[in-house]
């Protein structure tokens, strides 16, 4: 097991992408130092560690930085190996989460009217795909990864806090026992898992943060550069 000083993670509490490696590290029982960025600025450590993209999260292991949440989770799984699973299929569904669910839902924050409605509908459609995928990938067990949290669980589960915010903001349920029974049960098990429960952000605080970001996005599209991976 790595020593505390060997592993650092640069991130911010609201970011679902930062939550991904934090969950993965918890599952592997890896001790790490969480270095929190200041919203609206980029620290010298972040700029030095990820000069190409200048965004969180960044894992620093033994002085060597690794960027991008999915790559970091793969690295954690490779360096601290566990029982193997179908990696190619899991990574495919992880990309579905990011492209079909996250992208339209994020875009909806700065949108209004029919445009906003259309983007949210795209997110709802993606959730329907993930409901079907859960039935296939879980093979009737607790998680996408079977008996244990896997890559897809981390990829989608990191958004649960923001899903709750979206439900409150838009006055609609994105997941419930009636429409998505598989994901509804999964979300409860995932949220209660020892590697996850202390990382989920407080819904009220996240909603407050979301309202600030939404207002700024509507006022100034240039602001989007400052919120990359914070939402």
């Amino acid at each position: 097991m790595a020593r505390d000083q060997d592993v650092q993670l640069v991130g911010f509490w609201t970011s679902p992408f930062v939550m991904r490696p934090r969950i993965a590290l918890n599952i592997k029982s890896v001790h790490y130092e969480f270095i929190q960025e200041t919203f609206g600025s980029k620290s010298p450590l972040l700029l030095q560690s990820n000069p190409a993209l200048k965004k969180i999260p960044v894992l620093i292991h033994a002085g060597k930085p690794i960027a991008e949440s999915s790559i970091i989770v793969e690295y954690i799984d490779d360096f601290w190996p566990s029982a193997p699973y179908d990696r190619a299929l899991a990574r495919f569904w992880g990309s579905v989460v990011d492209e079909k669910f996250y992208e339209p839902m994020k875009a909806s924050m700065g949108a209004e009217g029919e445009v906003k409605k259309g983007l949210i509908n795209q997110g709802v459609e993606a959730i329907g795909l993930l409901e079907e995928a859960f039935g296939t990938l879980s093979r009737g067990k607790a998680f996408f990864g079977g008996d244990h949290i896997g890559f897809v669980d981390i990829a989608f589960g990191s958004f649960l806090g923001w899903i709750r915010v979206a439900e409150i903001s838009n006055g609609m349920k994105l997941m419930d026992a009636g429409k998505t029974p598989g994901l509804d049960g999964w979300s409860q098990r995932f949220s209660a898992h020892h590697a996850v429960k202390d990382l989920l952000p407080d819904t009220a605080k996240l909603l407050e943060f979301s309202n600030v970001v939404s207002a700024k996005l509507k006022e100034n599209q240039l602001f989007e550069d400052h919120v990359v991976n914070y939402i």
Side-chain angles (χ1 to χ4, degrees), residues 78-90:
D78 290 340
F79 196 88
W80 293 279
S82 59
Y85 55 91
D86 192 340
R87 297 190 179 200
L89 187 60

Side-chain angles (χ1 to χ4, degrees), residues 85-86 89 133-146:
Y85 55 91
D86 192 340
L89 187 60
F134 178 74
T136 301
L137 298 179
S138 68
R139 298 179 177 87
K141 297 183 178 180
F143 302 103
F144 281 95

Side-chain angles (χ1 to χ4, degrees), residues 2-3 6-8 59-66 75 79-80:
R3 298 186 304 275
D6 288 336
V7 184
Q8 298 172 310
L59 179 76
I60 304 174
H61 182 207
K64 298 178 180 179
I66 303 101
Y75 176 86
F79 196 88
W80 293 279

